[in-house]
Amino acid sequence: HSPKSTVSMNEDKATRYHRLGRRAGILSTVWTGVILLTLLLAGASVTLRDWAAGAAGANPTFIVALYVLLLSIVFDAATLPFSFYRGFFLERRYGLSTETMGHWLKDHAKAVLIGILFAEVGAIFVYFTLRSWPGYWWAIAGVGYSVVSVILVNLAPVVLLPLFFAACVIAALRS
């Protein structure tokens, strides 16, 4: 093969990889919308809330926390096939990863747990602002979200990324 045909072949492979990833992303977004509409129109969201209220007791903050936990689990379970396809299957198919399925599942579980933690904290904070400042909750929650975003941008490389990537020193860079 000539260098030009190799570049063209790699370009075609890269194009296919990105096209398949985008397609899976779009399908995942549509699927998420279908789940939300189904929860809303079928009354499943109210059923979930009522179950959370029965399990959590009279404390409205616990009800919100349990509802968000249940909703997060439903979404994570429903979108797992898309996550697997994009994060494991495509990466291996195109030679971009040698990660084992066990390691991918471990990383995915960590990501889900971190996502649930942030969802819980965020929901409780928004609920707190709704109850404390009903007229301005949206502004206070927005400022809070912005502050947390700035903090996370600075802390993520130091706190979150090491949870997923092992630190290794490349000898060639040290010399």
Side-chain angles (χ1 to χ4, degrees):
H1 290 236
S2 71
K4 186 174 182 177
S5 67
T6 303
V7 169
S8 177
M9 185 173 65
N10 286 339
E11 208 170 291
D12 290 341
K13 192 173 179 181
T15 301
R16 278 193 312 275
Y17 166 78
H18 287 291
R19 184 180 66 246
L20 291 171
R22 279 191 307 272
R23 197 174 287 166
I26 291 168
L27 287 172
S28 178
T29 301
V30 169
W31 181 237
T32 298
V34 167
I35 294 168
L36 283 171
L37 280 173
T38 301
L39 285 170
L40 180 66
L41 298 176
S45 180
V46 172
T47 302
L48 212 59
R49 184 210 53 208
D50 291 345
W51 187 89
N59 187 326
T61 304
F62 287 152
I63 294 170
V64 168
L66 187 55
Y67 176 82
V68 168
L69 176 64
L70 294 170
L71 198 59
S72 295
I73 291 169
V74 166
F75 272 104
D76 287 325
T79 58
L80 180 61
F82 296 103
S83 299
F84 176 78
Y85 180 77
R86 289 178 78 189
F88 181 77
F89 180 78
L90 271 183
E91 296 292 316
R92 288 188 59 109
R93 180 178 177 189
Y94 285 92
L96 300 173
S97 175
T98 57
E99 185 175 44
T100 65
M101 186 181 300
H103 193 261
W104 182 85
L105 286 169
K106 186 174 121 184
D107 278 353
H108 183 72
K110 283 191 269 186
V112 166
L113 290 174
I114 291 168
I116 287 173
L117 175 68
F118 283 125
E120 290 291 335
V121 170
I124 290 168
F125 176 69
V126 169
Y127 184 70
F128 173 76
T129 61
L130 269 165
R131 289 181 62 93
S132 300
W133 303 283
Y136 301 102
W137 71 269
W138 53 272
I140 296 166
V143 168
Y145 176 80
S146 298
V147 168
V148 169
S149 294
V150 169
I151 291 169
L152 283 177
V153 163
N154 291 292
L155 286 182
V158 179
V159 177
L160 295 178
L161 289 181
L163 295 174
F164 298 96
F165 300 102
C168 61
V169 177
I170 300 173
L173 293 177
R174 297 196 84 181
S175 55

